Amino acid sequence: MTVLQVKQLTARVADHIQFVDVNLSVGAGEIYGILGDAKSGKTEFIQLLSGMRTPDRGWVKVDDCRVHDNIRRAQRHIGVLSRRLALFPMMTVENNLQYWGRLSERSTHRLESDIDRVLRYVHYQKRKEEVVAALGALDRKRVHLAAALLHKPKVLLLDQPTEPMTEREREAFLQIVQKLQRDGQAVVYATDKVHEIQHIATRVAIMDEGKILVEGTVEELRSLLGGQSQIVIRCRPLHAWVKLVEETATVHTVDEEKRELRLWTTKPKELLSRIFSDWQDNGLVAESVRVVEPTLEGVYLHLTGKSLENG
């Protein structure tokens, strides 16, 4: 069942970010991943979906409600975990959740049981009397997520939800998101972390400067590379490297700002062996060499020409 629909959404939100006729849908029990860097527009897109920004044209519908026609009604069906922590740091966990619960017009008796329910769901095990400022990164996000789930939203919007967690904390948080999916929750998950998207998303959109470049399952997107790996060489002097490499292979991209060459090949080890057999004799310097396998990171690099080095 479709829970979230976006139709011909158009909005200019910054000089470098413009959404034009964006269409997508998300069903119950689906995690729709949006992969992009800091300039991709993914945060602004989450804001458009939630009603925090107004489009120039088109619409967003949650269940049977157009978000920007009736924001108050629509927000009863939307849960948001934004990049900035929407909690009061010097208030207790319980007081924070009471505040958000009252905004959704929960009765006092119902609110107390709802608070217990969502804290159990997100595996928060400390006392409700703890002050938020005293919590670690994972527990803060657990409480923030609990606040977003208090009113049982139809769709949950998550924007870079695992910042600034450790790897172990990320894994614990992703387990909660996967549990939400199994329980039928529709989730939009925006991040620059490739591993997270590959691990949990049922469908993925790669976004760059407000444009959805491609959409599909992880396997469908990987197939776009045809089994090819990409070699990324950061080097100097750049143009001498281009001349050397072109004797052996076809240079796909030259990034002068980063001093990088990018090559596509189905046999990266053999190609690197040929390229580096005599590079030192030519007085060339390779600062770093990276092989990007035919993964989602490789697809992103291929489509945008940019790396998600923290992914």
Side-chain angles (χ1 to χ4, degrees), residues 21-300:
D21 291 333
V22 177
N23 298 285
L24 62 85
S25 63
V26 182
E30 182 174 18
I31 299 176
Y32 186 93
I34 299 176
L35 182 64
D37 65 11
K39 296 181 180 180
S40 66
K42 60 186 186 297
T43 292
E44 291 81 0
F45 190 62
I46 292 290
Q47 292 168 348
L48 283 164
L49 297 183
S50 69
M52 292 176 63
R53 285 181 182 266
T54 302
D56 301 321
R57 190 175 71 245
W59 49 261
V60 178
K61 185 187 289 187
V62 177
D63 211 9
D64 63 344
C65 179
R66 289 201 180 190
V67 171
H68 298 91
D69 290 347
N70 192 335
I71 289 179
R72 186 172 180 82
R73 180 184 166 209
Q75 287 181 339
R76 296 173 188 164
H77 304 305
I78 300 171
V80 182
L81 198 158
S82 56
R83 295 186 71 171
R84 296 184 65 181
L85 199 68
L87 300 173
F88 299 98
M90 301 314 296
M91 286 170 53
T92 66
V93 169
E94 185 173 34
N95 287 344
N96 267 282
L97 294 179
Q98 287 172 341
Y99 171 82
W100 287 110
R102 291 189 187 107
L103 288 182
S104 60
E105 301 175 355
R106 257 35 190 177
S107 67
T108 302
H109 173 72
R110 184 180 178 186
L111 180 55
E112 291 307 310
S113 64
D114 282 345
I115 288 173
D116 290 337
R117 169 181 58 82
V118 292
L119 288 178
R120 283 195 305 271
Y121 195 93
V122 300
H123 302 153
Y124 177 81
Q125 298 175 337
K126 295 185 178 179
R127 296 186 310 140
K128 291 185 289 186
E129 294 77 18
E130 289 278 357
V131 174
V132 167
L135 302 178
L138 176 57
D139 277 330
R140 289 188 190 190
K141 286 298 176 82
R142 280 178 167 145
V143 175
H144 194 176
L145 180 58
L149 294 172
L150 264 175
H151 57 296
K152 298 182 179 179
K154 298 281 188 180
V155 63
L156 182 64
L157 309 176
L158 307 181
D159 185 16
Q160 294 285 144
T162 60
E163 291 183 348
M165 298 182 195
T166 65
E167 186 173 345
R168 179 175 291 184
E169 289 172 336
R170 287 183 195 175
E171 292 301 321
F173 186 87
L174 293 180
Q175 288 177 14
I176 301 171
V177 177
Q178 289 176 304
K179 180 182 176 184
L180 284 163
Q181 179 197 11
R182 291 193 298 271
D183 291 342
Q185 180 71 61
V187 178
V188 178
Y189 193 102
T191 186
D192 60 2
K193 295 177 172 55
V194 177
H195 167 74
E196 295 179 9
I197 288 285
Q198 290 186 148
H199 189 53
I200 66 170
T202 49
R203 279 189 299 143
V204 182
I206 291 180
M207 181 174 285
D208 189 43
E209 297 183 357
K211 300 177 182 66
I212 293 181
L213 304 180
V214 68
E215 178 195 81
T217 66
V218 172
E219 289 306 315
E220 287 170 344
L221 298 194
R222 282 175 179 164
S223 70
L224 297 176
L225 297 180
Q228 293 191 95
S229 300
Q230 186 165 156
I231 299 172
V232 182
I233 306 172
R234 183 168 293 175
C235 52
R236 54 186 168 85
L238 182 62
H239 293 290
W241 266 97
V242 172
K243 185 176 180 180
L244 172 69
V245 170
E246 284 181 337
E247 295 176 0
T248 308
T250 301
V251 177
H252 179 266
T253 309
V254 178
D255 188 328
E256 296 199 12
E257 183 178 347
K258 292 184 177 180
R259 303 194 312 278
E260 286 183 350
L261 304 180
R262 302 188 185 110
L263 322 170
W264 287 102
T265 178
T266 56
K267 298 179 179 179
K269 290 183 180 179
E270 293 181 17
L271 180 56
L272 282 172
S273 178
R274 293 199 302 271
I275 290 173
F276 285 95
S277 60
D278 61 349
W279 64 275
Q280 288 177 315
D281 295 337
N282 289 275
L284 306 180
V285 176
E287 296 176 358
S288 66
V289 178
R290 195 160 60 99
V291 177
V292 181
E293 300 296 342
T295 62
L296 199 55
E297 181 186 5
V299 177
Y300 184 87

